[in-house]
Amino acid sequence: MPSRESGAGTKRRIALTVNGKKVERDILTRMTLAEFLREELDLTGTKVGCNRGECGSCTVILDGNPVLSCTVLGIEAAGREVLTIEGLSSGGKLHPIQEAFVEHDALQCGYCTPGMIMSIKALLDRNSNPTDEDVRKSTDGNSCRCGSYPNIIRAAIEASKKMTHK
Ligand code: FES
Ligand code: FES
């Protein structure tokens, strides 16, 4: 009879696109996408807070949709496109959402920030002119223990204006 640990060390080769680059790795089938990004690819901008789908700090964009990467297995991302916080800046220049977070003091400890920004990025990709309520809804799975919510909403709205007027 197989033990409960059976298969715990099983690896599978996956190929996917992360921040526009093709990557291929042998990974443990039980590894979450968050673990894969942080431990295999050194993309530690994605934060793990609760590790059980409650805080939103691990949010990344998978095929255009925001997902909690602690609740997705790495092997589920095979053949798909992942965007993490590291993929937002380009040529040494911050993304307008990141700039707006700095300008509007939208972070204190910063632990929730990558996840917040990825949820807002997914929102602005489908709605270039969001209301405060839209921002609230898109980030309702993202907790900020420092209570930066008013500034986060202001930053998201200002970022949307910058992005549509550039
Ligand atoms: S670490 Fe994934 S939701 Fe909290
Ligand atoms: S800035 Fe500290 S948890 Fe949000």
Side-chain angles (χ1 to χ4, degrees):
M1 189 173 155
S3 78
R4 290 183 61 197
E5 294 303 314
S6 175
T10 305
K11 286 194 168 185
R12 191 180 301 165
R13 190 150 193 88
I14 62 165
L16 67 162
T17 303
V18 180
N19 298 333
K21 289 189 195 127
K22 301 265 181 215
V23 296
E24 213 173 322
R25 289 283 191 290
D26 290 319
I27 67 162
L28 289 168
T29 53
R30 62 177 158 78
M31 187 173 240
T32 66
L33 178 57
E35 289 169 337
F36 173 65
L37 293 169
R38 291 176 54 83
E39 294 168 23
E40 293 290 326
L41 303 184
D42 272 338
L43 295 173
T44 54
T46 298
K47 302 300 180 206
V48 175
C50 66
N51 206 19
R52 58 180 187 191
E54 289 178 0
C55 73
S57 67
C58 63
T59 305
V60 299
I61 298 179
L62 180 63
D63 285 345
N65 296 309
V67 297
L68 301 172
S69 60
C70 74
T71 67
V72 176
L73 288 172
I75 54 171
E76 291 179 87
R80 302 171 75 182
E81 286 204 23
V82 181
L83 181 68
T84 73
I85 191 75
E86 288 90 347
L88 291 195
S89 59
S90 80
K93 191 168 162 28
L94 292 177
H95 187 279
I97 303 172
Q98 293 171 306
E99 281 177 355
F101 264 61
V102 174
E103 284 161 12
H104 296 277
D105 236 351
L107 60 151
Q108 293 182 57
C109 77
Y111 206 80
C112 70
T113 310
M116 284 284 184
I117 289 178
M118 297 316 288
S119 290
I120 292 166
K121 167 84 169 79
L123 167 69
L124 299 188
D125 284 347
R126 61 177 193 277
N127 178 357
S128 60
N129 188 23
T131 62
D132 286 15
E133 189 53 25
D134 294 330
V135 178
R136 261 188 221 106
K137 276 191 191 148
S138 73
T139 55
D140 67 0
N142 296 84
S143 305
C144 176
R145 288 169 52 149
C146 302
S148 302
Y149 298 109
N151 293 7
I152 289 168
I153 292 167
R154 196 167 317 130
I157 299 293
E158 289 305 318
S160 71
K161 290 181 188 159
K162 271 193 197 190
M163 290 164 73
T164 47
H165 290 117
K166 73 176 179 185

